């Protein structure tokens, strides 16, 4: 069988504000939020993106914010402006808390304080530069908008324990279903446990991912150094997939409204219109979430429907069943210099003809598959200027980009 992706060609570094990455439309900078973003700060970010870049802003599958179209002259002024906008963010190893941490009615533990303490510990650690740029950590407070589907090198998941106390389950490498369980720790050991595990990693396999290190040298190299912190017990049960799109109750009595820009991107002008709606409704904070979502926080229940209608009129997705949610597309050509096909431009047409497609459809401008690192049920890959269509690992055929919307339904019928 032909594999649609070529994993060794993936990028090896992540673009932060201080080190943007060259793409086909200029430099790309990534901001990794660490908590709630003040609406005025988000407005300032959009204005800076329009002033210093091309105004295109993306929400990634991990909930990061990407700003496109910067250049060598504008990147530094952009970073300087963003640094004073009061947007809590981290430019180091990503430590992700669940998106409604501290706000959700059903959280077991407020994960964000633990994430903040771990970010501080990493920032002062001497070994951070010896860690892979792709390394990531999740701290899941146990609420409905959990992080089970988000791949990570170290996973901490809050679970209730006997006697009414709570603890963290610790696992290594991958999503919750693929990670290797270590056991359970008391919450006050969370940061120490994560730091010890990272110290092991830089000692035995610097620049490696935890998953690869465990495969190469065995789990005991990681479990032994934390044996005094970890209690052995079966891993917690799997949970239903989280869905950030929709209305979520908050402890305050207000609600959070989850929306998504179509295909994970929008322009600064449209986002400013969203900000105007938020301000008029008295909404002063938002958060990003995995699956390319935005959460408007603190929405009074009595105006929630009014806010949803206004946001929907701007073109944002509020229906979790919207077919555009099933299409994951990278920027593609000509935006990305590696793109062989205009992946983003093809996405709307593909979303209109999803009948018979098996779940997620990943449109990748080239073989690197940056937008969706997991194996999608259906993949459209740019190769040699054409669209190669895969159903799992089975190659259905190759068509030109112009012919793809017309030919896609035929290829799906052939397979189904």
């Amino acid at each position: 069988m032909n594999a649609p992706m070529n994993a060794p060609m993936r990028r090896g570094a992540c673009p932060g504000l201080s080190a943007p990455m060259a793409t086909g439309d200029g430099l790309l900078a990534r901001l990794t939020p660490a908590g709630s973003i003040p609406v005025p700060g988000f407005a300032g970010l959009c204005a800076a993106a329009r002033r210093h870049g091309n105004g295109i802003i993306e929400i990634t599958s991990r909930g990061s914010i990407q700003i496109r179209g910067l250049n060598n002259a504008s990147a530094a002024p952009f970073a300087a402006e963003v640094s004073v906008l009061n947007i809590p963010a981290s430019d180091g190893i990503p430590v992700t808390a669940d998106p409604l941490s501290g706000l959700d009615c059903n959280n077991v533990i407020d994960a964000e304080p633990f994430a903040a303490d771990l970010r501080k510990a990493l920032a002062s650690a001497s070994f951070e530069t010896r860690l892979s740029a792709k390394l990531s950590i999740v701290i899941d407070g146990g609420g409905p908008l959990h992080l089970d589907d988000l791949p990570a090198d170290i996973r901490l998941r809050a679970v209730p324990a006997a006697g009414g106390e709570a603890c963290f389950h610790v696992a290594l490498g991958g999503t919750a279903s693929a990670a290797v369980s270590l056991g359970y720790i008391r919450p006050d050991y969370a940061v120490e446990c994560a730091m010890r595990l990272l110290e092991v990693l830089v000692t035995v396999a610097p620049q490696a991912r935890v998953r690869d290190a465990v495969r190469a040298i065995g789990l005991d190299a990681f479990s032994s150094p934390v044996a005094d912190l970890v209690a052995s017990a079966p891993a917690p049960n799997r949970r239903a997939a989280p869905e950030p799109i929709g209305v979520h109750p908050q402890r305050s009595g207000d609600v959070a409204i989850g929306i998504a820009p179509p295909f994970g991107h929008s322009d600064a002008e449209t986002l400013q219109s969203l900000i105007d709606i938020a301000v008029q409704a008295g909404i002063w904070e938002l958060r990003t979430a995995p699956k390319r979502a935005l959460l408007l926080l603190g929405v009074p229940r009595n105006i929630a429907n009014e806010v949803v209608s206004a946001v929907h009129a701007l073109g944002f997705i509020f229906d979790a069943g919207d077919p555009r949610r099933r299409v994951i597309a990278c920027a593609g050509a000509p935006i990305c210099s590696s793109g062989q096909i205009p992946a983003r431009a093809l996405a709307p047409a593909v979303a209109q003809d999803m009948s018979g497609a098996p779940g997620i459809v990943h449109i990748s401008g080239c073989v690197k598959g940056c937008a969706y690192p997991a194996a999608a049920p259906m993949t459209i890959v740019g190769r040699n200027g054409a669209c190669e269509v895969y159903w799992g690992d089975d190659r259905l055929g190759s068509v030109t980009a112009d012919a793809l919307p017309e030919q896609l339904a035929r290829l799906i019928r052939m397979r189904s």
Side-chain angles (χ1 to χ4, degrees):
M1 291 187 290
N2 296 310
M5 296 292 131
N6 185 354
M9 292 184 64
R10 295 189 192 278
R11 298 190 191 278
C14 297
L17 286 180
S18 60
M21 181 179 71
T23 67
D25 62 343
L27 299 178
L28 179 148
R30 180 177 298 159
L31 186 72
T32 303
S36 299
I37 302 172
V39 166
F42 191 66
L45 177 66
C46 293
R50 184 171 55 246
R51 190 161 43 247
H52 298 292
N54 60 15
I56 299 299
I57 297 174
E58 301 168 332
I59 308 298
T60 73
S61 61
R62 300 188 70 91
S64 294
I65 301 173
Q66 294 187 160
I67 299 89
R68 306 197 70 98
L70 303 170
N71 58 49
N72 290 330
S74 68
F78 171 79
E81 286 190 25
V82 173
S83 68
V84 297
L85 290 177
N86 197 30
I87 298 176
S90 171
D91 208 16
I93 298 297
V95 180
T96 304
D98 49 296
L100 284 179
S101 175
L103 304 175
D104 194 287
C105 297
N106 299 301
N107 274 119
V108 177
I109 291 177
D110 182 359
E112 184 53 47
F114 296 93
D117 288 345
L118 182 53
R119 294 183 196 109
K120 290 178 183 177
L122 280 167
S124 60
S126 60
F127 58 73
E128 187 178 12
T129 57
R130 291 184 284 154
L131 295 171
S132 167
K134 291 289 187 179
L135 198 80
S136 65
I137 300 168
V138 300
I139 304 182
D140 186 331
L145 292 191
H146 58 77
L147 302 174
D148 284 2
D149 295 335
L150 197 67
D153 292 83
I154 299 175
R155 312 188 60 85
L156 301 177
R157 169 186 165 181
V159 292
E165 296 181 356
C167 60
F168 281 117
H169 173 252
V170 186
L172 302 179
T175 61
S177 61
V180 180
S181 174
L182 281 185
Y184 294 81
I185 59 171
R186 289 170 45 186
D188 49 339
Y189 293 153
V191 173
E192 181 179 355
C193 181
M195 294 300 287
R196 286 194 200 180
L197 292 169
L198 293 174
E199 288 170 357
V200 171
L201 181 63
V202 298
T203 300
V204 301
Q207 302 301 329
R209 303 298 297 274
V210 169
R211 176 189 61 244
D212 298 328
V214 169
R215 288 174 180 169
I217 63 175
L219 182 62
D220 187 65
F222 290 89
S223 60
S224 293
V226 295
D228 58 322
L229 306 179
V230 176
S232 179
N237 294 330
R238 294 184 63 179
R239 297 173 283 187
E243 180 50 74
I245 303 303
V247 176
H248 309 280
Q250 295 184 214
R251 291 178 180 175
S252 63
D254 296 326
V255 297
I257 295 178
I259 61 173
F263 311 111
H265 70 96
S266 187
D267 57 82
E269 289 78 10
T270 302
L271 288 170
Q272 181 58 56
S273 297
L274 174 67
I275 291 164
D276 293 340
I277 291 171
V279 171
Q280 291 170 10
I283 301 166
W284 295 107
E285 290 186 320
L286 56 84
R287 291 185 183 180
T288 60
K291 299 186 177 182
R292 298 172 168 82
L294 283 169
L295 296 167
L296 306 178
L297 305 179
V299 183
R301 287 179 181 271
N302 64 326
I303 62 169
N305 289 338
E306 180 182 340
V307 172
V308 167
S309 296
V311 168
H312 189 266
L314 289 178
F316 288 92
I317 296 171
F318 178 72
D319 178 5
D322 191 305
R324 292 173 293 177
R325 294 280 287 156
R326 292 172 54 200
V327 179
I328 307 296
C330 67
I335 299 172
C336 176
S337 57
S338 298
Q340 294 286 309
I341 58 172
R344 180 166 291 170
L346 290 169
V350 171
Q352 288 180 0
D353 197 3
M354 295 284 287
S355 178
I360 293 293
V361 175
H362 176 199
I363 310 176
S364 181
C366 70
V367 296
K368 288 182 291 188
C370 301
Y372 192 72
M378 188 172 190
T379 308
I380 300 166
V381 186
R383 198 190 304 265
N384 299 324
C387 301
E388 292 192 350
V389 183
Y390 291 83
W391 188 293
D393 288 337
D394 295 335
R395 184 177 183 274
L396 300 186
S398 178
V399 299
T400 66
D402 289 341
L404 179 67
E406 178 184 348
Q407 294 296 317
L408 185 59
R410 178 184 63 83
L411 292 171
I412 291 174
R413 286 196 301 270
M414 285 173 52
R415 180 60 176 82
S416 58

